[in-house]
Amino acid sequence: GEPGTGKTTLLALTAQELSSQGRPVFGVPLGSVRYPGDLGVRVLNAIAGSPYKDAVDVERTLRSSDGDVPLTETAAILNRASARLPSPVLLMDALDESVFPSRVASAIEQLSLELDDWKFVVASRLGAAEELRRLRSFSVLELRGLAGVDAADILRASAPSLPADIIARITEFAGGNPVLLQAVARDLQRSASLATAGDGASSLADALEWLVNEAVSESADPAKLGELLEELALAGGRERIAALAGKSRITDGEVSRLL
């Protein structure tokens, strides 16, 4: 889907739902991934940082690797763990932020074909999603803006204490954009001033400007976050995390944390 259609939001809700059913769920960010070996490391790191780390022997592999893990080795490790993990799921986000989406998409398919007991969900913006359409083992669903009822459900899940009239106002204001819905709901719960700011907002741009200013002012490093957002704006919102890190002379992880 396009930016703001709720890809990451849907992954988060999916993770919550599957976890509530007792299924092991592992989130795998694909930003800056270059090669199949990078993908193997990301998958194993996701498991190593989860409550299921003791069920999968990944620590020794990660310590002994030279920065990547062959997909065949990753598949072998995960297949051995299948007996201890009931219906595990890998939720992979931002294929479009990988360095070579075509190569990474092929690596994902290769891994999925070797793991019969594992399920894969991959999120991407539309351009890179075309790579997934070429893969026979994946079905592709395109997300668009949320309908009013769905938007209201997301607001209730994000901010259970919001009254019905406020939910209705935010739903109309956000126009089906789930990212904006969650941002507004979160800040409404945290700050009563947003209700006043929302009343005075003459456009979506005004509201976004207010939210961005609030985010910058509350950041652990307002100056650095402001610099990153400026670089992102100059790039039309499509700059990759790795490129932002290079321009700002900080690590990819620090960029992700600040944004």
Side-chain angles (χ1 to χ4, degrees):
E2 294 289 355
T5 50
K7 299 179 295 297
T8 300
T9 298
L10 184 57
L11 285 184
L13 293 173
T14 300
Q16 292 174 13
E17 176 64 23
L18 293 175
S19 295
S20 72
Q21 298 173 14
R23 297 182 65 173
V25 181
F26 308 100
V28 182
L30 299 176
S32 75
V33 170
R34 287 176 174 269
Y35 306 111
D38 297 338
L39 177 64
V41 170
R42 291 289 177 92
V43 170
L44 296 182
N45 275 331
I47 296 171
S50 77
Y52 297 94
K53 62 182 179 180
D54 294 332
V56 185
D57 183 20
V58 299
E59 292 291 348
R60 182 172 55 188
T61 300
L62 289 172
R63 285 196 301 268
S64 62
S65 69
D66 293 325
D68 63 13
V69 179
L71 283 187
T72 52
E73 184 175 353
T74 300
I77 292 171
L78 299 188
N79 273 321
R80 289 196 298 269
S82 296
R84 300 186 294 277
L85 299 175
S87 302
V89 182
L90 293 173
L91 300 179
M92 298 183 166
D93 196 13
L95 173 64
D96 55 282
E97 291 183 7
S98 64
V99 180
F100 304 115
S102 177
R103 181 182 297 171
V104 174
S106 295
I108 291 170
E109 183 182 41
Q110 177 187 340
L111 190 60
S112 71
L113 292 174
E114 295 187 33
L115 296 171
D116 292 337
D117 297 326
W118 292 67
K119 299 298 182 184
F120 288 66
V121 180
V122 184
S124 176
R125 291 186 181 180
L126 286 175
E130 292 303 314
E131 304 297 337
L132 292 175
R133 294 185 191 278
R134 301 188 182 99
L135 307 181
R136 294 182 179 180
S137 59
F138 280 82
S139 299
V140 178
L141 303 176
E142 183 177 340
L143 297 185
R144 295 182 175 87
L146 294 170
V149 174
D150 294 327
D153 286 344
I154 282 184
L155 278 174
R156 292 189 189 97
S158 302
S161 63
L162 288 181
D165 60 327
I166 296 296
I167 287 178
R169 284 171 52 203
I170 297 174
T171 299
E172 181 180 3
F173 164 74
N177 185 313
V179 176
L180 182 57
L181 280 169
Q182 288 198 312
V184 172
R186 180 198 63 208
D187 286 335
L188 257 177
Q189 283 196 308
R190 192 173 57 196
S191 171
S193 65
L194 182 56
T196 303
D199 289 339
S202 59
S203 68
L204 179 61
D206 291 338
L208 287 172
E209 182 180 1
W210 189 89
L211 287 168
V212 168
N213 289 337
E214 284 289 292
V216 170
S217 66
E218 295 180 9
S219 170
D221 190 342
K224 183 60 69 176
L225 178 57
E227 179 185 340
L228 287 174
L229 291 173
E230 184 176 351
E231 290 286 355
L232 194 59
L234 290 172
R238 295 184 177 274
E239 189 69 280
R240 297 179 186 273
I241 285 179
L244 285 172
K247 292 178 180 178
S248 303
R249 297 178 297 282
I250 58 178
T251 65
D252 292 10
E254 186 69 6
V255 171
S256 297
R257 185 186 67 78
L258 285 168
L259 292 178

